[in-house]
Amino acid sequence: MCGIVGYTGKRAAMPIILEGLKKLEYRGYDSAGISTLHHNELTHVKALGKLIALEEQLAQEPLAGSIGIGHTRWATHGKPSVPNAHPHVVGTTAIVHNGIIENYKSLRTELEAHGSQFLSETDTETVAHLLHVHRRETLLETLFAILPMIRGAYSIAAIDTRDPHTLVCVKQESPLVIGLGKNENFVASDIPALLAHTRDFIFLEDGDVAAITPESVSIYHHGQPVERPIKTVSWSPSAAEKGGYKHFMLKEIHEQPRALRDTLRGKFDGKTLQLSDLALTPQEVASIRRIQLVACGTSWHAGLVGKYYLEQIARIPVEVDIASEYRYRTKVVDSSTLVVPITQSGETADTLAALKDAKREGAKVITVCNVVDSSIVRESHGVLYTNAGPEIGVASTKAFTTQLAALYLLALFIAQEQKRLDSAAIAEHIAQLEALPAVIETVLEREEEYKNFAHTFHDYPNFLFLGRSFNFPIALEGALKLKEISYIHAEGYASGEMKHGPIALIDAQMPVVVVATASAVYDKLVSNVEEVAARDGIVVALVNDADTSWGKKAHTVFRVPEVPEMLSPIVNAVPMQFIAYYVADFKGCDVDQPRNLAKSVTVE
Ligand code: F6R
C-alpha cells in the first residue's frame, strides 16, 4: 500500500508533490522519492525513512520542472532501501507504482536474459524495463503495448522525456484518482493528497488508462476512449485520510476483501504453491516434525486458529504460545522444530525475545508478518508476508484475517512439500480461499444490522462470547475487540467449557454472542446455547444464511454465507469486529486510539 502523487501544469511540481505525499503519511513510510522532468531531462531524488528525510534531501538538491511523480513506499517486494524506493527510472521513463506485479519474477528473468540490468529488488522495476524495451512513439502507446504482459493489482503513474507535458497512468485493482485543476491536473492514489488543490475528481475504474496534460484528461478502456464522471468531494481532510469512513478501524474492516486478495496473490500458479520468502529448502520442510506458534494478543488468536489448520492439513503437532510466556519457560526445540512468530507490526518486544530464544535453541524461525523488513523479520530465517497494508487503528482487523489466510497457506505449503496433498487438492483449497473476499463483501453489506444491535446493547456492562473448535479463537477475538475499544468487560469461552464455571455468570443482563456457523460440532454447540437460554441469557447468534432454526432460541440473529468450516473463522471475525466497533462508537470511545494501548508494544 504505497502512496502516489503526480502533477502536470504550470507551477513547480516538486513542492506540490511533496505536500501531497505528506498527506499520505498515514499509509506508512519506509522510503520516498520524487522525479520531475525539466528541459527534456529526468531528475530524481530518493530517500530512506520518513518523508522528512526526502524533504531534507530536496532542500539540498531541489528538482526543477512543472511535471513530476512522487511516491511513498510501503515495502512489499524488496526491503526498504534507496535502490528499492520509487520512482524507478529506465531510459527516458520514470515510474511509480502501488500494488503487486504477480508475474514479475518470470518477466525479470526474461528481461535480464535480453540484457536489461536491474538496480533494485522490486517488482516495479520490471515495468520500467518493459516500458523501455517495448517503447513506441509515445508513452501512452508503450503502456498499451506492455499492459497485456503484466498480471496483478497495480496503479502506475509515469512520465517520459519524449512527451514532456503528459502524465500517463493506469489503474488495476489498486486505487487511483485524477484531480482536476485549471491549466493543471493531478493524479494520486488517495484523495487527501490533492485536497489542497482541487475538490473535483475522476475515479478511475479497473483497467482504465489515462493520459493527463495540463489542459486535458483522456481516459481509455481496452484501448478505446471512455468518459468517466467528474465527482465533487466534500470530505474534510481528516475524513479523506480515512477514505470517508469515520475511523481507520472501520476503513480497515472494509479493506479486508482487498487485503485478503493481496495476501493470496501470486502464490499459486495453478499447480504449485510457492512461498519463496520462507527460504526453506525442500529438505528443511520435509524435516519439520513440530511447530510452535508464538504471538501476542490478536496475533495469538490467529495462532490458535493456525494450530487447527496446521494439524488438520499438514498433520504436524502444533503448540501455540503467548510470547511473554514462551520467553520464560523451558523450550524443548531442536532443528526439526519450526517456530513461527505471528505479528502484524514485526516490532512486538515479547515476540522478538521469544524468537531470539527459539533461534538460540536451534529452531528454524519463519515469521508471519505485515511489515516488510521489520525487526522480527530481520531476525527470522524466512517470512510469509500478509500484505494487508498499513494498519492504523490500534485494534487489529485486516491484519488478523490476513494472518489466518497466511497460516492456511503455510499449512497447505507444508502439506504439499511433505507430499500429503497433491496439486489438485491444493488447487481446491486455494479456490475456496479465493472465494472468501466476495463472501466478506456480502458480510460488509450487512453492516447496518450490527449498528442497530449496538444501539440497543452498548450500555450493557458485560458480554460473553462463545465458540467451539475452529471458532473458539473467534470468540476470544470477539471478546478482546470489544474490551479493548469499548472498555466493556467481555470474556471469550469455548462453549463446552461453560458448565465448568462461567455458566454461573449467566442472567438476564448478559448478552452471549455465539459463533454458531456450520461445523462438525454444531449440535454440541446448540446444546451449550440451550443451557444459556435456560438461564435467561440474551443469546446473540452468528449463523449461516440457510440456518432458520434460531428464531426462538436467539434474541438477535446475524447471518453470514456458508463457507467450508476451516475457513469460517476468516468470515466470522468480521461480525465480531463490527459488534465491537459500533458498540464502542455508540459509547463515544476513541475507537482508533483506545486508552492505555499502543499499536506496537515495543517494551516488555
Ligand atoms: C488487538 C491488538 C493487539 C496486537 C498485539 C500484537 O487488537 O492489535 O493485541 O495483536 O499487540 O501485536 P503484533 O501483531 O504487532 O505483534
Side-chain angles (χ1 to χ4, degrees):
M1 295 293 296
C2 310
I4 290 177
V5 183
Y7 174 80
T8 176
K10 311 281 181 244
R11 295 190 279 163
M14 184 199 85
I16 293 173
I17 294 170
L18 185 63
E19 287 311 307
L21 292 177
K22 281 187 192 165
K23 295 289 183 301
L24 302 183
E25 193 137 31
Y26 63 92
R27 295 181 73 104
Y29 277 92
D30 55 55
S31 57
I34 293 180
S35 175
T36 61
L37 217 164
H38 188 52
H39 292 326
N40 268 0
E41 223 181 281
L42 275 176
T43 42
H44 68 266
V45 170
K46 308 196 219 183
L48 188 60
K50 294 204 164 188
L51 253 194
I52 185 79
L54 179 69
E55 194 171 10
E56 281 166 9
Q57 215 162 313
L58 286 169
Q60 304 299 316
E61 32 181 332
L63 297 174
S66 53
I67 178 167
I69 48 177
H71 188 265
T72 67
R73 184 160 184 258
W74 170 261
T76 55
H77 292 75
K79 61 179 186 285
S81 69
V82 172
N84 288 341
H86 302 208
H88 291 279
V89 182
V90 178
T92 58
T93 315
I95 75 163
V96 290
H97 158 228
N98 179 9
I100 298 168
I101 307 296
E102 275 174 28
N103 57 334
Y104 81 101
K105 278 195 183 138
S106 56
L107 289 170
R108 180 171 177 147
T109 310
E110 217 172 289
L111 284 159
E112 283 178 329
H114 290 89
S116 297
Q117 290 192 352
F118 280 71
L119 303 175
S120 78
E121 305 155 301
T122 62
D123 49 345
T124 309
E125 197 185 346
T126 314
V127 181
H129 281 284
L130 284 176
L131 287 168
H132 179 62
V133 169
H134 297 276
R135 64 189 171 278
R136 304 280 156 91
E137 196 141 325
T138 64
L139 178 57
L140 183 66
E141 284 171 36
T142 316
L143 193 62
F144 282 141
I146 68 137
L147 281 181
M149 301 174 197
I150 61 179
R151 267 201 335 264
Y154 48 80
S155 49
I156 295 170
I159 50 177
D160 192 302
T161 55
R162 292 168 302 155
D163 203 351
H165 302 290
T166 308
L167 252 172
V168 169
C169 60
V170 56
K171 175 197 179 320
Q172 181 63 43
E173 289 179 46
S174 182
L176 202 65
V177 295
I178 296 172
L180 304 173
K182 201 162 183 311
N183 294 326
E184 59 184 8
N185 287 308
F186 311 80
V187 66
S189 51
D190 306 77
I191 288 171
L194 307 180
L195 280 180
H197 308 287
T198 183
R199 299 250 155 195
D200 294 332
F201 291 93
I202 295 175
F203 293 82
L204 293 178
E205 292 184 10
D206 284 340
D208 282 355
V209 171
I212 306 167
T213 69
E215 293 81 24
S216 67
V217 173
S218 313
I219 302 174
Y220 304 86
H221 197 85
H222 297 309
Q224 298 303 315
V226 285
E227 292 285 327
R228 298 282 177 231
I230 299 172
K231 299 207 170 129
T232 303
V233 164
S234 56
W235 295 345
S236 68
S238 106
E241 272 191 357
K242 296 171 196 137
Y245 292 102
K246 188 171 175 189
H247 295 101
F248 280 112
M249 181 181 175
L250 191 57
K251 173 173 180 261
E252 287 157 5
I253 290 173
H254 279 268
E255 280 174 355
Q256 289 176 108
R258 195 274 311 144
L260 282 165
R261 286 189 184 104
D262 282 352
T263 300
L264 301 175
R265 196 180 300 287
K267 305 279 192 320
F268 185 63
D269 62 9
K271 275 174 113 178
T272 318
L273 183 60
Q274 278 169 1
L275 304 180
S276 47
D277 289 340
L278 290 187
L280 292 173
T281 63
Q283 294 75 9
E284 281 169 337
V285 187
S287 70
I288 299 168
R289 294 284 166 269
R290 250 174 92 216
I291 298 176
Q292 294 181 337
L293 305 176
V294 193
C296 303
T298 287
S299 297
W300 178 65
H301 295 158
L304 294 175
V305 180
K307 173 182 166 76
Y308 288 96
Y309 290 168
L310 286 155
E311 291 187 340
Q312 180 139 337
I313 298 173
R315 303 250 155 214
I316 295 180
V318 178
E319 294 150 61
V320 191
D321 271 273
I322 294 172
S324 55
E325 291 294 317
Y326 183 86
R327 319 177 44 167
Y328 296 110
R329 77 170 168 83
T330 307
K331 284 160 268 303
V332 185
V333 296
D334 59 23
S335 59
S336 70
T337 310
L338 182 69
V339 172
V340 183
I342 306 164
T343 168
Q344 186 287 128
S345 62
E347 302 297 341
T348 304
D350 285 319
T351 311
L352 180 59
L355 173 165
K356 286 182 178 165
D357 285 358
K359 249 171 83 178
R360 210 174 300 119
E361 301 288 329
K364 264 270 168 227
V365 179
I366 57 137
T367 292
V368 172
C369 189
N370 195 38
V371 180
V372 171
D373 219 36
S374 51
S375 305
I376 293 179
V377 169
R378 285 199 301 271
E379 282 289 333
S380 307
H381 296 112
V383 61
L384 178 50
Y385 285 120
T386 42
N387 287 340
E391 196 178 61
I392 315 280
V394 162
S396 192
T397 51
K398 61 178 180 171
F400 177 65
T401 43
T402 53
Q403 283 168 346
L404 299 189
L407 289 163
Y408 200 93
L409 288 176
L410 180 64
L412 291 176
F413 180 74
I414 294 174
Q416 168 186 278
E417 300 299 299
Q418 295 198 349
K419 314 268 182 285
R420 288 187 187 283
L421 287 182
D422 63 14
S423 149
I426 302 271
E428 205 177 318
H429 280 284
I430 295 286
Q432 290 170 348
L433 270 171
E434 286 176 345
L436 289 180
V439 172
I440 291 178
E441 272 153 13
T442 309
V443 180
L444 296 175
E445 282 163 17
R446 301 175 185 175
E447 181 172 358
E448 205 60 23
E449 296 173 24
Y450 300 95
K451 193 171 176 180
N452 294 338
F453 168 80
H455 184 254
T456 311
F457 281 95
H458 66 275
D459 279 335
Y460 279 67
N462 299 292
F463 269 71
L464 198 60
F465 288 76
L466 300 180
R468 268 190 104 134
S469 180
F470 294 96
N471 283 294
F472 162 46
I474 298 307
L476 294 177
E477 176 62 4
L480 176 62
K481 284 285 90 86
L482 187 67
K483 63 188 143 194
E484 69 178 325
I485 61 169
S486 75
Y487 319 139
I488 290 175
H489 169 244
E491 289 201 45
Y493 253 91
S495 63
E497 187 67 7
M498 284 285 293
K499 55 188 172 295
H500 299 290
I503 200 158
L505 292 170
I506 305 289
D507 63 18
Q509 291 308 306
M510 179 69 91
V512 183
V513 180
V514 190
V515 185
T517 50
S519 80
V521 289
Y522 176 85
D523 291 339
K524 296 195 182 301
L525 181 124
V526 170
S527 336
N528 302 145
V529 176
E530 304 283 4
E531 292 157 12
V532 171
R535 283 152 188 86
D536 292 333
I538 306 165
V539 176
V540 178
L542 178 67
V543 305
N544 286 131
D545 283 338
D547 186 344
T548 51
S549 67
W550 287 79
K552 287 211 175 67
K553 280 194 285 274
H555 172 282
T556 303
V557 179
F558 296 120
R559 295 183 185 282
V560 291
E562 185 169 342
V563 296
E565 182 184 358
M566 272 203 284
L567 295 176
S568 64
I570 302 180
V571 175
N572 294 342
V574 180
M576 302 299 124
Q577 298 163 355
F578 270 147
I579 290 173
Y581 173 78
Y582 278 111
V583 166
D585 193 37
F586 273 116
K587 287 191 75 183
C589 299
D590 186 348
V591 170
D592 283 334
Q593 289 175 338
R595 68 185 184 204
N596 308 337
L597 291 175
K599 185 68 187 159
S600 290
V601 186
T602 52
V603 290
E604 188 176 356

